[in-house]
Every structure is written in C-alpha cells, then in structure tokens.
Amino acid sequence: MGEIRYLATRDLLKEDVVERIVAAARANAGLWLMVKERAVEKRVIKAELERRGADAKDLDRLFPTGLTPTIAELADELVSTMFGNCPPEIGSRIQSALIEAAESELDGGSAQPQQ
C-alpha cells in the first residue's frame, strides 16, 4: 500500500487537494459507483419532497432509511485513507465536491477532471 501521510487542515482546504480527492474517488470504480448512487438518491429524495409539497424537515419521516454507507462515511474513509485523517470541517467540503462531480457525470459532463 502507498504511503499515507498527514496533511495539515489548511492543506486539505486547497482546491488542488480537493481535486486530487475527487480524482482518487473516480479512479476507484466501486467507490465512484457508490458516490454516484448517493447523487441519484439525493435527486430522487429532492424530487419526491417537491412532489409531496414537503420540505427538508419532513425528510426523516418520509425517508427513514437511506443508502449505506452514507456520503459522509464514504468521504471520511477516502480522505482518511489518503491523508491519515479527515477533520470534520473538511468532510462537508469533500462530500459536496464528490456529489457535484458525480452529478456532473450523471448529467453527461466530463467523466474525468479538467486539467
């Protein structure tokens, strides 16, 4: 296994590091499939909430279970594997970047990051 190294929180905030994390997710077919499944799940839930005239506060009542592992768990595991830790303040940024990249691909966007 490759060397796992610690990066300071400030390093994880750099855009090129976020892009590397997304690229690593894309390179792992099984992980990337799970990320895309979470993006589809998000779309389905949003559409169903709109159809029912509900909002986010009704989410737990209408959808008591979701796919597992969650996008938060996937992001945490990926970042921890790559860098040795995943500070909580970074997790949401990585989750958003993963979901955004997956949605772009699902919408017919580039399957690979722009260079």
Side-chain angles (χ1 to χ4, degrees), residues 26-47:
R26 283 184 165 143
N28 180 324
L31 175 64
W32 191 239
L33 177 61
M34 287 190 285
V35 170
K36 290 193 301 185
E37 288 171 338
R38 298 329 172 265
V40 170
E41 177 187 44
K42 179 182 170 189
R43 287 180 177 185
V44 169
I45 289 171
K46 180 180 178 186

Side-chain angles (χ1 to χ4, degrees), residues 91-105:
S92 63
R93 179 153 183 218
I94 300 305
Q95 291 169 45
S96 295
L98 290 171
I99 292 292
E100 182 179 307
E103 287 177 338
S104 175
E105 188 172 309

